[in-house]
Amino acid sequence: MSSVLITGANRGIGLAIATEFARRGHRVVATARDPRTLAGLDANQRLALDVTDDASVAAAVAAAGNIDIVIANAGVIFYAAVEATPLAELQRLLNLNTIGAIRVAQAVLPQMRERGDGKLMFMSSVVGRIVLPPGAAYASTKWALEALVEALGIEVAPFGVQAALLEPGAVSSGALDNVTTYTLPDDPYAAILKGGGPRAGMITPEQVAAEVADAAEKPQLPLRIPIGDAARTLLAARHAIADDVPFIWADAGN
């Protein structure tokens, strides 16, 4: 069985993924900024890991020992029109969702390269390939992650290491409940904020976890792994439409 390190394992998708890998008999290294939030989780190790902090990541990776699979899952979201997006908050989002994921990969890669084996799996999203307002800031962190991981996959392949992007659609993890929203005075963009982001075909964290574990247990990882029927449908619709105009899901027949 593999040794699997999961970031953001204390709730939502991360918790479901940790639980699923443990159920399948893998060695689970569950991490969160506050390891007390991991109490009760079926895991072999419960470690403090803040993806925005170099020392925290290095300490967790050292404590974990050999790691076969990394699930870089930690992330946050907010809603705003681009004009209304606080730039400091955008920087915070990038630091957590994008740079934090790469920080963990950089810490684990030396041991994987030395062994000639390892799988790096990054929680992206369908919005890593499209944009669905009002989630432009979140999507930007995933588009950036997609570029970095595609390059990473090319770079590490000669060392026997694989990289993959996990692309679920909307997930009933609680992350989309009461999302922080930023607006302008007398907001001219109020219409796009009604109802928040699209939720059609929402799947459970357990469904995400099962598909992630299924992919991880196969010998070869695809670079991109859409998760859930809604995600596959949405991405197929995007591919069917010319990319010289913005993709609007309603215009695609939703």
Side-chain angles (χ1 to χ4, degrees):
M1 292 290 100
S2 297
S3 177
V4 186
L5 184 145
I6 302 152
T7 66
N10 56 319
R11 61 177 182 242
I13 295 172
L15 174 60
I17 290 173
T19 301
E20 180 65 16
F21 274 101
R23 186 186 70 79
R24 298 186 184 206
H26 295 280
R27 176 177 174 264
V28 170
V29 181
T31 75
R33 280 182 293 183
D34 182 354
R36 293 172 296 182
T37 62
L38 301 167
L41 177 62
D42 183 10
N44 299 85
Q45 286 180 279
R46 302 174 189 85
L47 301 175
L49 191 157
D50 179 349
V51 300
T52 67
D53 182 84
D54 289 341
S56 174
V57 172
V61 168
N66 285 341
I67 300 166
D68 301 303
I69 301 170
V70 169
I71 312 292
N73 165 75
V76 293
I77 185 172
F78 66 75
Y79 290 152
V82 173
E83 185 182 348
T85 297
L87 297 185
E89 290 303 308
L90 177 58
Q91 289 178 319
R92 184 178 71 87
L93 220 62
L94 282 162
N95 195 31
L96 178 58
N97 295 1
T98 309
I99 298 170
I102 299 303
R103 181 177 281 112
V104 174
Q106 289 180 341
V108 173
L109 267 168
Q111 60 164 274
M112 289 185 170
R113 283 191 291 99
E114 185 175 354
R115 280 199 315 270
D117 184 59
K119 293 176 179 177
L120 299 166
M121 303 178 74
F122 298 83
M123 190 58 65
S124 182
S125 168
V126 292
V127 299
R129 298 166 73 184
I130 61 174
V131 177
L132 298 175
Y138 179 75
S140 74
T141 70
K142 298 304 183 181
W143 281 53
L145 183 65
E146 295 252 340
L148 287 161
V149 173
E150 184 161 345
L152 177 66
I154 297 168
E155 295 162 359
V156 300
F159 303 102
V161 180
Q162 301 177 55
L165 290 149
L166 306 166
E167 298 175 331
V171 181
S172 59
S173 62
L176 298 179
D177 299 334
N178 301 314
V179 175
T180 298
T181 300
Y182 299 100
T183 61
L184 297 173
D186 299 319
D187 190 15
Y189 303 105
I192 72 165
L193 295 171
K194 291 180 180 177
R199 297 193 179 203
M202 182 175 281
I203 59 177
T204 67
E206 290 72 24
Q207 288 173 286
V208 177
E211 292 200 32
V212 170
D214 286 346
E217 289 180 337
K218 292 177 181 177
Q220 189 65 38
L221 289 175
L223 173 62
R224 290 181 171 87
I225 305 172
I227 296 176
D229 290 340
R232 289 183 275 270
T233 297
L234 183 58
L235 291 172
R238 179 64 188 97
H239 288 308
I241 294 176
D243 61 4
D244 59 351
V245 294
F247 173 73
I248 301 174
W249 180 221
D251 293 348
N254 179 38

